[in-house]
């Protein structure tokens, strides 16, 4: 059974320095902003963050970056975050860049109890062969690079193909955002905000969900549940989320 927690600060209070944390969201869409803000207000440091990216300079995980609370990131891309790029290239943080679909499956596999899987994504690139810069030295040289991964050939519908072995990801904690949650922890995500949230939630040994609308157990149609409460340990009602825009683009006046 999920525990309903009174505040975001109380929900993340036991996350310790050095913890491994999966965070849902994509850019600034569907991010657990209240939980991230609560972490930013705490004294935790040396976090390893697993998320699609790190938000923007001043929204979402970018706040933790700016506070120097993150030691290592596993993500798909640097995105619109100039501070993320600066810290990476300056050797201040370690970054393991991972193909987006592979990252989603690594999280899902971890939550499903699968230790690893084979995928064709990354074959013939440094993703499989090794050599991706994980950490730069202050002089711009590569201090730590990715190791090569196991590659095997399998037959199938499209004939023989080469596949790379990717290990699943599990984390100490997961932070996610949902539109609706009930007191049993069942969650419903809003359209594109479903993105990485379910996968991150499954991967966390302790999953903490912030919800815009908290309803009694049984109020959500079982057929409409996106993530069963079995994956959610704590739930906090944070109210309607501010809808951020990562990159505003408008048409020119005619």
């Amino acid at each position: 059974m999920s525990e309903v927690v009174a505040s975001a600060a109380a929900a993340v209070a036991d996350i310790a320095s050095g913890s491994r944390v999966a965070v849902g969201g994509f850019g600034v869409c569907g991010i657990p902003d209240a939980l991230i803000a609560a972490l930013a207000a705490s004294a935790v440091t040396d976090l390893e963050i697993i998320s699609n990216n790190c938000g923007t300079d001043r929204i979402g995980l970018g706040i933790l970056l700016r506070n120097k609370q993150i030691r290592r990131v596993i993500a798909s891309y640097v995105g619109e975050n100039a501070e993320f790029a600066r810290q990476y290239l300056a050797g201040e943080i370690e970054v393991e860049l991972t193909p987006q679909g592979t990252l989603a499956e690594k999280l899902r596999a971890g939550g499903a109890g699968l230790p690893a899987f084979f995928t064709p994504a990354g074959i013939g690139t440094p993703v499989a062969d090794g050599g991706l810069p994980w950490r730069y030295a202050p002089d711009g040289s590569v201090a730590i690079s990715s190791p090569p991964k196991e590659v095997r050939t399998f037959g199938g519908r499209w004939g023989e193909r080469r596949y790379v072995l990717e290990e699943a990801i599990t984390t100490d904690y997961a932070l996610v955002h949902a539109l609706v949650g009930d007191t049993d922890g069942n969650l419903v995500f809003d359209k594109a905000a479903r993105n990485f949230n379910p996968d991150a939630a499954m991967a966390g040994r302790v999953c903490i969900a912030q919800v815009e609308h908290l309803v009694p157990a049984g109020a959500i149609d079982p057929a409409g549940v996106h993530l069963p409460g079995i994956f959610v340990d704590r739930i906090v009602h944070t109210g309607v989320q501010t809808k951020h825009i990562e990159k505003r683009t408008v048409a020119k006046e005619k």
Side-chain angles (χ1 to χ4, degrees), residues 5-28:
V5 184
S7 68
V12 303
D14 62 341
I15 298 181
S17 294
S19 293
R20 201 177 203 215
V21 185
V23 181
F26 188 107
V28 296

Side-chain angles (χ1 to χ4, degrees), residues 154-211:
F154 295 94
R157 180 178 178 182
W158 296 278
E160 287 195 345
R161 299 180 69 184
R162 297 168 68 224
Y163 296 79
V164 58
L165 182 69
E166 292 283 359
E167 295 186 6
I169 291 175
T170 57
T171 61
D172 302 309
Y173 295 89
L175 308 180
V176 300
H177 172 89
L179 177 65
V180 182
D182 69 19
T183 51
D184 279 348
N186 299 299
L187 302 181
V188 176
F189 304 100
D190 187 16
K191 305 179 183 68
R194 196 167 176 176
N195 49 52
F196 273 77
N197 276 299
D199 296 328
M202 291 174 64
R205 293 186 179 91
V206 175
C207 173
I208 307 169
Q210 67 171 65
V211 301

Side-chain angles (χ1 to χ4, degrees), residues 44-103:
V44 297
T45 59
D46 296 322
L47 295 172
E48 180 176 11
I49 298 294
I50 296 89
S51 190
N52 181 61
N53 64 302
C54 269
T56 65
D57 291 358
R58 297 188 179 277
I59 300 173
L61 289 170
I63 301 171
L64 299 181
L65 277 170
R66 193 172 67 246
N67 290 352
K68 302 295 181 70
Q69 291 173 280
I70 299 177
R71 173 187 61 83
R72 190 174 194 272
V73 178
I74 301 176
S76 291
Y77 70 106
V78 172
E80 300 293 328
N81 195 324
E83 177 61 14
F84 188 13
R86 188 200 67 76
Q87 289 189 26
Y88 175 42
L89 295 175
E92 296 176 11
I93 58 171
E94 188 172 306
V95 178
E96 182 178 341
L97 292 173
T98 304
Q100 193 169 89
T102 300
L103 178 58

